[in-house]
Amino acid sequence: MHDYLKQEKQMEIQDHNGIFVGGASGMCRATAEMFKEKGGNVAILDLPSSDGAAVAEELGGTFHEVNVMDWEGTETAINAAVDALGSVHFCCNSAGGGLAKRTLTKEGPHPLEEFQHCIDLNLISAFNISRLVAAKMAENEPNDEGERGCIINTASIAAFEGQIGQVGYSAAKAGIAGMTFVMARDLGGVGVRANAIAPSLFSTGLTKGIPDEFAHALVKDAAFPKRMGLPKHYAIQAISIYENAMMNGGTIRVDAGQRFAPK
């Protein structure tokens, strides 16, 4: 029997180090919590106005203030997080935000600067984080599988079926999906995996706590279950990706079989 067939697990979380960008709340926080429960060490990166410091204290980790659209500031925050941890094996990034604007409105064409802002906030920041973290992961000693780390960015099912008014957001999330496979190829030589998760509507941020009747209307096109996802559902998928060395280069939908209608 081949030696690799005898291995039960590829990536053990115990004593591994993770950076969680957007980890002060929602899906990324849930992932940091699950990573900690499995014996990992965490660094939380989020806005100064976030609950990042409290979350980091609760998880026995460190907090590093960052605005992901400050490219140099992001590098500084990642360097500080890696210094605090000693190394980094896992990076989960959920930073980003939406924009509701049609390509053409009664007021005129979609403002170009608003489209650019959405691309910078969601796509450019994700690439910037990925490239910087990959360089840190490449310095790790490989495990028996030759693996040094795993990066997960957050796309959206809007990347594939964006609704009316989501042209900027859909373009940005489609960019994340599009770069993920190439990134996996780029980083394969140093044993770093790259994946993306594409959630449907989750109970986080602006959608958290909306009345049930509105929530049901938003998820009526889901196959099952017909409800919004919870942060733990994202976390379960993210941790599964980390622990499974065969998960690489993919954008995994976590969406209850939902396909967005035009509006």
Side-chain angles (χ1 to χ4, degrees):
M1 181 181 292
H2 293 291
D3 289 341
Y4 70 84
L5 294 178
K6 299 177 183 178
Q7 297 176 3
E8 293 184 359
K9 286 192 175 181
Q10 312 293 351
M11 281 292 273
E12 296 279 359
I13 290 178
Q14 183 69 41
D15 298 325
H16 275 196
N17 302 320
I19 290 176
F20 300 86
V21 186
S25 62
M27 299 180 294
C28 200
R29 174 177 177 170
T31 307
E33 292 171 343
M34 195 170 293
F35 193 80
K36 178 65 177 181
E37 287 171 3
K38 286 178 168 279
N41 307 305
V42 306
I44 305 296
L45 277 67
D46 215 313
L47 291 166
S49 58
S50 73
D51 293 330
V55 172
E57 183 177 2
E58 178 184 329
L59 298 179
T62 57
F63 173 57
H64 307 272
E65 297 180 357
V66 67
N67 177 341
V68 296
M69 291 184 65
D70 175 355
W71 316 132
E72 293 183 0
T74 298
E75 183 169 9
T76 298
I78 288 173
N79 288 342
V82 174
D83 287 345
L85 291 166
S87 62
V88 59
H89 305 93
F90 184 36
C91 178
C92 182
N93 168 39
S94 69
L99 172 67
K101 185 83 67 171
R102 298 189 185 211
T103 306
L104 182 62
T105 70
K106 293 178 181 178
E107 290 73 36
H110 191 308
L112 187 59
E113 63 275 12
E114 293 183 13
F115 184 89
Q116 180 70 60
H117 180 273
C118 193
I119 298 297
D120 285 345
L121 175 59
N122 292 281
L123 176 59
I124 306 304
S125 70
F127 178 72
N128 189 41
I129 291 163
S130 298
R131 72 182 185 93
L132 295 170
V133 170
K136 297 294 185 180
M137 291 178 175
E139 298 174 0
N140 293 339
E141 287 295 322
N143 65 7
D144 292 342
E145 186 81 359
E147 187 168 5
R148 290 182 167 90
C150 177
I151 298 167
I152 297 177
N153 285 302
T154 305
S156 166
I157 64 170
F160 312 107
E161 308 101 21
Q163 295 183 298
I164 290 171
Q166 287 188 322
V167 63
Y169 184 72
S170 293
K173 294 302 187 178
I176 290 175
M179 77 178 180
T180 297
F181 180 64
V182 182
M183 187 179 293
R185 282 182 156 174
D186 286 349
L187 300 177
V190 293
V192 173
R193 293 184 288 122
N195 288 277
I197 296 175
S200 56
L201 288 166
F202 270 54
S203 182
T204 62
L206 294 175
T207 61
K208 186 176 182 179
I210 66 173
D212 287 344
E213 60 269 25
F214 293 112
H216 291 319
L218 291 172
V219 297
K220 61 183 174 57
D221 296 316
F224 179 85
K226 291 182 181 295
R227 60 177 173 80
M228 289 193 289
L230 299 175
K232 70 175 183 180
H233 298 129
Y234 178 101
I236 289 167
Q237 184 62 67
I239 295 298
S240 176
I241 289 170
Y242 185 74
E243 292 181 325
N244 187 347
M246 291 301 289
M247 299 295 290
N248 196 15
T251 298
I252 299 93
R253 298 180 67 126
V254 182
D255 64 3
Q258 182 168 11
R259 300 295 183 269
F260 280 148
K263 61 182 178 179

